[in-house]
Amino acid sequence: AAAVAGGAFGGAEGQLCFGEVKSYNTQKGFGFITCPAYEHIFGKDVFVSSKELGNIVLSPGMQVQFQAISTEKGPAATRVQVLSAAAFPSPWPQPMQWPMPPQCM
């Protein structure tokens, strides 16, 4: 997926973010991560491809950290890592001012 020129993320692209696997189809090799920060920006979940996972097998409900890139179809996850429950911020932090998405560091 080619990155969109012009920075649709407003400077937030490549930031480390947290989310939860909403769905993942192992047969098709893709799924979606729910991330309130990017849902606020794009109105949709973050796409994740098996190409970005290495040996990781995702399943719904897993807590993950990732970096997002802007593609023609919306945000896509890269550098995905599964987190332990203790490492995941809960409850979600309160929304911050744009351009920094609230679950990004």
Side-chain angles (χ1 to χ4, degrees):
V4 174
F9 285 91
E13 185 166 6
Q15 296 293 319
L16 183 62
C17 293
F18 299 95
E20 181 176 316
V21 178
K22 181 176 183 178
S23 62
Y24 190 78
N25 185 320
T26 54
Q27 293 177 336
K28 293 183 179 180
F30 70 87
F32 295 91
I33 298 170
T34 297
C35 177
Y38 288 111
E39 187 174 329
H40 176 74
I41 297 167
F42 292 99
K44 59 173 76 175
D45 295 320
V46 179
F47 176 82
V48 61
S49 169
S50 61
K51 295 175 186 175
E52 298 295 333
L53 300 176
N55 295 327
I56 299 171
V57 177
L58 296 180
S59 61
M62 285 182 153
Q63 308 299 319
V64 294
Q65 74 177 22
F66 62 95
Q67 290 180 330
I69 59 172
S70 180
T71 71
E72 294 172 3
K73 295 183 179 181
T78 185
R79 298 185 181 184
V80 179
Q81 294 182 349
V82 175
L83 299 175
S84 68
F88 192 76
S90 183
W92 290 101
Q94 294 298 312
M96 297 170 62
Q97 294 295 318
W98 174 251
M100 183 60 73
Q103 284 72 44
C104 296
M105 298 177 161

